[in-house]
């Protein structure tokens, strides 16, 4: 997979290293000459250019990219980069970094953003996950599909403790992605039972989140 990352600062370089480790081809783009440091990520391609300029993105061959990540420290730049990538180069997947929470509402399909990543929201979700059992925690939003990645830690008194996941009558538009237990990842193959304390990860349509939470934990159903 070829991935272009706009913003070669600490965040962009960290993402690039991770993607390269996973076998992907990465291009880092930045208009600041001081940010162009190929020795920091030697296996990446580097381009000194402004990701808000159409000519720069043409030079980067964005039409050959599978994903564009707008990871600069400027929300305006990230929005313009995502919009150009989507509308001018038909990039299949765009990810936008949200620096200021007040701007999060802008990072949607209207601006060409398929997935937005807001550090405050992620940190808040992780805190909630650490202190709540039985409550549904939204971890990630897929803007284009109106679906969310959510987590629920199964409480001891759930009616489905010990039941195979395939026998649980999940609502429509709910997919159990994985079961996390004792540091291990278990695929939800239908026969795998769920146990108290399991962290269950779902992709779920936003309009059935409450129904899912009520199913697995009636005592904590949203009121």
């Amino acid at each position: 997979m070829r991935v272009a990352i706009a913003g070669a600062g600490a965040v962009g370089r960290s993402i690039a290293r991770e993607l390269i480790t996973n076998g992907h081809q990465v291009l880092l783009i930045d208009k600041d000459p001081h940010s162009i440091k190929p020795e920091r990520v030697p296996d990446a391609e580097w381009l000194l250019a402004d990701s808000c300029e159409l000519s720069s993105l043409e030079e980067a061959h964005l039409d050959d990219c599978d994903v564009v990540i707008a990871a600069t420290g400027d929300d305006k730049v990230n929005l313009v980069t995502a919009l150009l990538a989507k509308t001018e180069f038909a990039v299949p997947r765009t990810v936008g970094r949200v620096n200021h929470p007040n701007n999060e509402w802008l990072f949607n399909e209207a601006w060409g953003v398929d997935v937005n990543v807001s550090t405050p929201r992620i940190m808040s979700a992780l805190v909630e996950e650490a202190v709540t059992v039985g409550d549904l925690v939204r971890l990630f939003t897929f803007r284009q599909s109106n679906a969310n990645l959510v987590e629920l830690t199964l409480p001891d008194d759930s009616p489905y403790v010990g039941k195979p996941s395939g026998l649980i009558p999940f609502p429509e538009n709910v997919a159990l992605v994985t079961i996390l237990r004792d540091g291990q990842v278990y695929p939800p193959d239908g026969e795998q039972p769920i146990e108290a304390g399991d962290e269950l990860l779902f992709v779920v349509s936003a309009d059935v989140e409450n129904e899912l939470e009520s199913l697995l934990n009636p005592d904590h159903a949203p009121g």
Side-chain angles (χ1 to χ4, degrees):
M1 184 168 68
R2 185 168 190 261
V3 182
I5 302 173
V11 172
R13 293 196 303 269
S14 295
I15 297 169
R17 291 189 195 99
E18 186 73 20
L19 289 171
I20 290 169
T21 298
N22 291 333
H24 301 297
Q25 182 184 357
V26 175
L27 168 66
L28 280 160
I29 306 169
D30 206 296
K31 67 177 181 179
D32 182 0
H34 298 291
S35 295
I36 302 299
K37 300 177 180 179
E39 70 279 3
R40 298 285 183 91
V41 192
D43 293 326
E45 300 175 57
W46 290 77
L47 178 64
L48 177 61
D50 186 346
S51 65
C52 292
E53 295 288 342
L54 196 59
S55 58
S56 297
L57 300 181
E58 289 173 346
E59 183 181 355
H61 299 290
L62 234 63
D63 50 345
D64 292 333
C65 290
D66 302 289
V67 180
V68 167
I69 301 172
T72 78
D74 188 325
D75 285 344
K76 296 187 295 296
V77 171
N78 292 343
L79 285 171
V80 172
T81 299
L83 184 62
L84 289 174
K86 183 63 71 174
T87 59
E88 299 296 328
F89 298 92
V91 175
R93 194 72 165 166
T94 59
V95 180
R97 172 189 175 189
V98 183
N99 294 279
H100 301 288
N102 289 344
N103 295 332
E104 187 173 353
W105 66 277
L106 287 166
F107 284 73
N108 56 35
E109 62 277 3
W111 277 94
V113 179
D114 294 318
V115 178
N116 73 53
V117 180
S118 170
T119 301
R121 171 174 284 190
I122 292 173
M123 292 181 68
S124 173
L126 291 174
V127 169
E128 290 182 45
E129 178 188 355
V131 299
T132 58
V133 173
D135 291 335
L136 191 114
V137 179
R138 185 179 296 178
L139 300 175
F140 210 74
T141 297
F142 302 95
R143 296 289 184 184
Q144 196 170 33
S145 57
N146 192 36
N148 300 309
L149 177 66
V150 302
E151 183 270 350
L152 185 142
T153 300
L154 199 69
D156 295 341
D157 57 354
S158 171
Y160 295 102
V161 169
K163 301 286 177 107
S165 60
L167 297 182
I168 301 173
F170 292 124
E172 290 187 14
N173 296 321
V174 171
L176 177 59
V177 177
T178 195
I179 302 167
L180 306 178
R181 180 188 306 146
D182 298 329
Q184 300 296 316
V185 178
Y186 296 92
D189 60 6
E191 297 181 2
Q192 175 68 43
I194 60 174
E195 304 293 347
D198 283 355
E199 293 181 66
L200 308 176
L201 296 183
F202 298 90
V203 173
V204 54
S205 176
D207 56 1
V208 295
E209 285 183 355
N210 290 348
E211 186 179 349
L212 174 63
E213 184 176 17
S214 299
L215 173 72
L216 295 175
N217 187 20
D219 290 342
H220 288 196

